[in-house]
Amino acid sequence: MRRIPCPVCGNDEFVPHWDCGEFQFVRCRSCCHLCQNPQPLAEDVRQRYDQKYFDYERENDVAFLNLMLLGLRDVAYERWIPDLPQPVRVLDIGCATGALLEFLAGKHGLAVQGVEVCAPAARYGIGRRSVPIHIGTLEEAAFAAGEFSLVHFSHVIEHIPDPRGFLSEVFRILAPGGRAVVVTPDTAGLQARLFGRRWRSAIADHLHLFSRRGLSQLLGQCGFSIVDQAYWGGLPQGTVPRWVKRPVDRAAKRFRFGDVMLLLAERPRTAAEPGG
Ligand SMILES: [Zn+2]
């Protein structure tokens, strides 16, 4: 285990927030970012993404693809993809079995690349879907600067031990004018406040839990500007009847109190340097 400073504001004072038994979330005293601290070592975190994780990804890959597409449609991706830096190359980090990459290559004819730490999932995508996937972390893939025009990572950043280093690497490999789609749970949503430590996102694999404000701040510090955002996730399936769930889900999207956020961030075309 190791202790870390707050990735959003750099402060190193934390107070207990949620005690989930075998793991705890603490809250940054200055910016309210939630994380597990001390944290498991990155090498140990990696061991979690094994055959069992692949089985889970494989069972849900159609459902997960549909959710990702709903998010992308919320920010009208088909409208701005043609304006991305050419030639358009898309990277999906934490691409699991490569379902989104297969879709983007097939439907939109885009050049695609994946990164996945879960080796069985990546091998499945390479073999069955014929999409190129680097098995390992983003940093290990060592892509060239400005190599991509779109980088997508859905439900990934909350699993990453060093989210600031991760976002800086995403910035580096994006061409100026390129965009990043970040999807992650939002602690500012209604559910986190309603369910507390029983919130569906307060799980051991989530090392960091961002608020929309904290994530925007961190993206800004890494050089990005936020160009759009969407929120969804009303009530979890199975907790209430459908006739209650549907209007709540719709309201969550419209009034932005859902517990999942999508931030669309752009690497500005002008040469502003990160860190400001
Ligand atoms: Zn902080």
Side-chain angles (χ1 to χ4, degrees), residues 141-171:
F143 293 115
E147 195 174 332
F148 296 97
S149 27
L150 177 60
V151 178
H152 175 273
F153 39 106
S154 176
H155 294 284
V156 168
I157 195 168
E158 66 272 22
H159 297 251
I160 304 267
D162 174 17
R164 178 182 286 272
F166 175 82
L167 288 178
S168 302
E169 178 63 3
V170 170
F171 186 91

Side-chain angles (χ1 to χ4, degrees), residues 209-233:
L209 289 169
F210 294 90
S211 68
R212 52 193 74 180
R213 199 181 64 173
L215 183 59
S216 306
Q217 196 180 325
L218 182 57
L219 281 162
Q221 288 165 5
C222 294
F224 290 98
S225 46
I226 311 288
V227 292
D228 203 355
Q229 49 202 294
Y231 303 88
W232 63 84

Side-chain angles (χ1 to χ4, degrees), residues 6 8-11 28 30-33:
C6 173
V8 176
C9 75
N11 195 309
C28 169
S30 119
C31 78
C32 294
H33 175 69

Side-chain angles (χ1 to χ4, degrees), residues 1-4 38-49 117 136-137 139-140 159-163 205 207-208:
M1 304 286 272
R2 65 178 189 126
R3 279 192 183 279
I4 55 158
Q39 297 214 333
L41 299 173
E43 305 87 82
D44 297 332
V45 169
R46 201 174 170 148
Q47 307 300 324
R48 297 177 182 180
Y49 303 105
V117 285
T137 66
E139 288 77 6
E140 287 162 3
H159 297 251
I160 304 267
D162 174 17
D205 284 349
L207 303 177
H208 292 277

Side-chain angles (χ1 to χ4, degrees), residues 49-63:
Y49 303 105
D50 53 9
Q51 183 66 34
K52 220 170 98 196
Y53 199 81
F54 164 57
D55 294 340
Y56 162 77
E57 290 286 347
R58 178 69 193 91
E59 275 161 33
N60 294 290
D61 64 0
V62 174

